[in-house]
Amino acid sequence: MNKILIPKTVPNKIPKTIGIPKGMLYYDYHILWENFFQNLGFEVKVSSDTNKKMINEGIMAAVDEACLPVKVFYGHVLDLASQVDYLFIPRIVSMVKKEYMCPKILGLPDMLRVSLVNPPPVIETTVNLRIKNNQIEQAIKEICSILQVPDYEGLKSWQAALQKQEQHERYLQSGHLPEGFPRVKDGFKIAVLGHAYNLYDAYINMNLLKKLHVLGAQVCTKEMVIPEEIEKFAGKLPKKIFWTFGKQLLGSGLYYLDDPEIKGMIFLASFGCGPDSMVGDLLERYARRGNQKPFMFITIDEHSGEAGLVTRLEAFMDLIQRRVS
């Protein structure tokens, strides 16, 4: 791990700029965060799409043991750090009662603090809803204190942003992919499950969704399954999974295995992710034991060669074609 010096190049202007790295939880909550800060009168600057330079810089800056998404996140932070007045890197401990986020998400502010020299002020407010939902009010007030805006304006802005986030989630649950991805309503329905930061980052997954679309697949994701169904199917396990995203992946996976319209399943994980290796293995066992649906486990890392991925996807779709016809 190398210490990275951040040059001071941001002019002192109004309104101030909030930098949001386009990695990790960005794909889950960017509607909420962007609307929140914009409602308060701040400009929001999002880092560029992931590219090779970002990944290389992230690898150089991050600890060796970090998984690929964390290294990518480092690259996005370095892309933004010299261009903004504040970096928004919250410590998301829990977003659901009695559940936790992954440890790497909890530790992001700390990992970055020891790697960056002379960064802009970092908004690293803790969000922990494991016990009480009203902790979010405290988190909003902490952000308001850092940005020097009245608490009531922050809480009002949060409520408005929350409505936008809920509207976005309902849009996804109605069968849509996020903005920027093709809306496909024909082809074989394939469940493609993975963390949003892997699934919707076209660079690190080598354009997986577009490749499947070209091969004739209609992609279904965990974001398209309503929370009640996720809870119902995840509850089939004898013991509750307390990792929020692990539960969502497992619950949506079991839901899709029970859906006769789903012809196969792809599980996308990043190298070095412990929870994903367990959830993916569980789904593969369920797929082969009872449902007998084609299942493919794809692990991504820093390598960018696409030939192997294309060959596997073509073979997977050929298998589904033979089963259906």
Side-chain angles (χ1 to χ4, degrees), residues 230-274:
I230 287 177
E231 291 290 340
K232 172 185 169 184
F233 280 87
K236 291 185 176 183
L237 257 66
K239 186 174 182 180
K240 177 182 172 67
I241 293 182
F242 52 83
W243 304 116
T244 296
F245 289 135
K247 181 197 71 178
Q248 292 176 356
L249 289 168
L250 183 71
S252 59
L254 294 178
Y255 169 83
Y256 282 132
L257 288 176
D258 198 49
D259 184 348
E261 291 190 3
I262 299 296
K263 304 306 179 187
M265 181 175 292
I266 294 174
F267 190 86
L268 181 69
S270 47
F271 179 76
C273 179

Side-chain angles (χ1 to χ4, degrees), residues 13-115:
K13 63 175 185 177
I14 301 295
K16 297 287 187 180
T17 305
I18 309 291
I20 301 181
K22 198 173 185 179
M24 301 303 287
L25 298 184
Y26 169 84
Y27 295 94
D28 297 280
Y29 298 114
H30 71 97
I31 299 290
L32 178 68
W33 295 337
E34 289 174 11
N35 276 279
F36 171 68
F37 289 118
Q38 288 168 348
N39 291 342
L40 288 174
F42 290 86
E43 286 188 1
V44 172
K45 184 173 181 59
V46 178
S47 53
S48 308
D49 290 341
T50 304
N51 53 50
K52 187 173 182 60
K53 178 175 179 287
M54 278 186 188
I55 293 181
N56 288 340
E57 291 180 347
I59 291 172
M60 292 295 293
V63 295
D64 294 337
E65 296 77 11
C67 63
L68 175 64
V70 170
K71 294 173 181 174
V72 172
F73 190 81
Y74 268 74
H76 282 277
V77 171
L78 295 174
D79 181 63
L80 273 178
S82 64
Q83 308 178 53
V84 297
D85 298 294
Y86 299 93
L87 276 171
F88 181 60
I89 308 174
R91 188 190 314 280
I92 309 294
V93 177
S94 172
M95 293 295 285
V96 180
K97 195 172 183 179
K98 296 183 179 179
E99 294 180 7
Y100 286 99
M101 289 292 184
C102 170
K104 63 176 179 275
I105 294 174
L106 275 64
L108 275 178
D110 301 309
M111 288 190 283
L112 286 158
R113 189 185 304 112
V114 299
S115 299

Side-chain angles (χ1 to χ4, degrees), residues 108-310:
L108 275 178
D110 301 309
M111 288 190 283
L112 286 158
R113 189 185 304 112
V114 299
S115 299
L116 304 182
V117 178
N118 201 28
V122 178
I123 303 172
E124 53 173 79
T125 305
T126 297
V127 178
N128 185 357
L129 310 185
R130 187 182 67 86
I131 297 176
K132 293 181 179 179
N133 284 335
N134 61 6
Q135 193 273 336
I136 194 67
E137 292 186 12
Q138 180 183 341
I140 298 301
K141 291 177 180 177
E142 287 179 9
I143 295 174
C144 289
S145 175
I146 295 170
L147 298 179
Q148 298 182 336
V149 298
D151 289 350
Y152 73 90
E153 286 190 12
L155 294 171
K156 180 181 176 182
S157 174
W158 176 258
Q159 288 302 322
L162 199 57
Q163 289 183 13
K164 293 287 186 182
Q165 175 71 17
E166 291 171 350
Q167 182 181 344
H168 174 66
E169 291 177 358
R170 287 194 296 272
Y171 173 77
L172 299 180
Q173 289 164 11
S174 64
H176 296 87
L177 290 169
E179 185 179 350
F181 290 90
R183 182 178 182 181
V184 181
K185 286 295 182 183
D186 53 7
F188 300 121
K189 281 191 173 182
I190 306 295
V192 184
L193 304 177
H195 292 277
Y197 49 72
N198 286 333
L199 198 58
Y200 301 125
D201 188 328
Y203 188 86
I204 65 170
N205 67 32
M206 292 173 279
N207 237 331
L208 173 67
L209 299 187
K210 184 178 180 181
K211 285 182 170 62
L212 284 169
H213 170 52
V214 171
L215 292 170
Q218 180 182 344
V219 171
C220 300
T221 67
K222 72 176 174 63
E223 287 78 19
M224 297 178 187
V225 184
I226 61 174
E228 291 79 9
E229 292 289 359
I230 287 177
E231 291 290 340
K232 172 185 169 184
F233 280 87
K236 291 185 176 183
L237 257 66
K239 186 174 182 180
K240 177 182 172 67
I241 293 182
F242 52 83
W243 304 116
T244 296
F245 289 135
K247 181 197 71 178
Q248 292 176 356
L249 289 168
L250 183 71
S252 59
L254 294 178
Y255 169 83
Y256 282 132
L257 288 176
D258 198 49
D259 184 348
E261 291 190 3
I262 299 296
K263 304 306 179 187
M265 181 175 292
I266 294 174
F267 190 86
L268 181 69
S270 47
F271 179 76
C273 179
D276 274 7
S277 64
M278 182 193 73
V279 173
D281 183 69
L282 278 172
L283 285 175
E284 187 171 11
R285 289 168 187 254
Y286 275 104
R288 291 180 174 171
R289 281 178 188 170
N291 305 83
Q292 293 294 311
K293 290 187 177 181
F295 184 96
M296 185 162 68
F297 199 130
I298 296 177
T299 303
I300 54 176
D301 56 19
E302 293 91 341
H303 297 91
S304 56
E306 297 188 10
L309 176 64
V310 171

